Amino acid sequence: MFKSQYLQKVYSGVEARNPGEKEFLQAVREVLESLEPVVAADPKFEQNGVLERLVEPERQIFFRVSWVDDNGNVQVNRGYRVQFNSAIGPYKGGLRLHPSVNASVIKFLGFEQIFKNSLTGLPIGGGKGGSDFDPKGKSDGEVMRFCQSFMTELSKHIGADTDVPAGDIGTGAREIGYMYGWYKRLRNEFTGVLTGKGLTYGGSLARTEATGYGLCYYTEEMLNCMKQDSFKGKTVVISGSGNVAIYATEKATQLGGKVVALSDSNGYIYDKNGINLDVVKQIKEVERGRIKEYVNRVSGAEYHEGCSGIWTIKCDIALPCATQNELDEASAKALIANGVIAVAEGANMPSTPEAVEAFQKAGVLFGPAKAANAGGVATSALEMSQNSMRYSWTFDEVDAKLHDIMVNIFHNSYNASKKYGMEGNLVAGANIAGFEKVAEAMIAQGISY
Ligand code: NDP
Ligand code: 2IT
């Protein structure tokens, strides 16, 4: 139940209109709960119908994606692009390729992207897309034919000033390359319509590293300001072993932490000596293999089946970087019992609401995804800037901008939490700080749709 009748009415409307979409409802509920004091302080949000507009995507495109596999069989997947909110810039957000993708998943991701993108301080609206296609086990030719078919429809709805997709789970440099090539062929134009491109055709230096690096910059600032502490000498557990997890491991190590565990959807590895990242990169980035393989190459390392056991490893800092709802209340309690001091989310919505509550009650520093993983999309926006200028910045220039953006996101969220009497609640702070700019822009632009 919400205290505000207005918020209760908005949430009930979302429930009625999106039945059974549990991830989407979870994401909306959390944001609306954070906004209680904001709507109570100023009637303009209700008068302008800001929240009922915010929870309804501006446009949703669901489409058939047919392609032919290596055996000559026709395969059919479903494609999605949800253009959620364009109040502060062109729709911006990744494309997820994973068998678990459905409307609820894409809508939760698109909804969260609105606030995350606003927090970056850069002019980008919120959107997300993807497909239930599973790139695992597919040949390069199959992935290419899928990407081309997917882009044939998607190209009708995107553009450098309209909607700029990027990577997410299952969509990395290979997939972005195939999609970009096909867009260019269809449109005969070389523009910044996708980000996360390869460095030879308009990609930004440091975009590959950005989400994981940004997560660590944010976490370092949170530790520094709220506990006069840092990564130095800390034991770190990171879930996942994809793009975000790998570069979070790299930066956490550079900052003096020791990362002792990584995972995939089958199980996790524990290496008490600290993860050898070169071995992980070879297995995951070059061979597209499973994390289990690590124990065959590094002596003393252990592999355990099942992914949630990773949260029973004793650590000071936990960075969930795999997927939504991967860290539940029992896992949170295990981390707390083992003395965790900070948790920051590299994945989108990896902690269940009960887990978040447990961390906050126990006084664990908690950095929510919208703030902590915003470095990826922020650097995507820097890629858009470079494409528009037909110019490129050096790695250090992009990395320095990323660092500043993450530090600002922490402080803006922290200050918002203070302003509304919830000092240190970075979930509420991020939601409020992200909301304020979008709401102002929506009100200023009138009620057009
Ligand atoms: P990748 O595809 O590179 O890696 C995903 C990792 O998460 C893999 O280790 C994968 O294991 C694991 N994983 C995926 N789905 C599940 C699942 N259902 N259960 C358990 N493990 C799973 O993706 P990214 O690293 O890019 O994305 C990871 C998270 O970070 C996602 O939540 C994404 O939305 C978020 N994110 C990504 C950004 C980016 O720039 N890439 C930016 C901001 C957030 P397996 O190989 O077994 O599937
Ligand atoms: O969740 C995310 O912020 C991303 N997957 C990155 C989106 C982007 O446009 O770079």
Side-chain angles (χ1 to χ4, degrees), residues 433-448:
F435 168 78
E436 282 179 333
K437 180 177 173 188
V438 176
E440 289 300 335
M442 286 174 74
I443 293 170
Q445 291 172 46
I447 299 159
S448 48

Side-chain angles (χ1 to χ4, degrees), residues 110-133:
F111 182 69
E112 296 216 321
Q113 204 82 43
I114 303 169
F115 308 94
K116 182 196 303 191
N117 294 2
S118 168
L119 281 171
T120 66
L122 300 167
I124 39 178
K128 200 84 186 190
S131 172
D132 57 4
F133 173 79

Side-chain angles (χ1 to χ4, degrees), residues 92-94 113 116 128 164 166-168 195 207 348 373 376-377 380:
K92 181 86 197 84
Q113 204 82 43
K116 182 196 303 191
K128 200 84 186 190
V164 183
D168 193 79
T195 59
R207 175 62 188 89
N348 286 306
N373 74 30
V377 75
S380 278

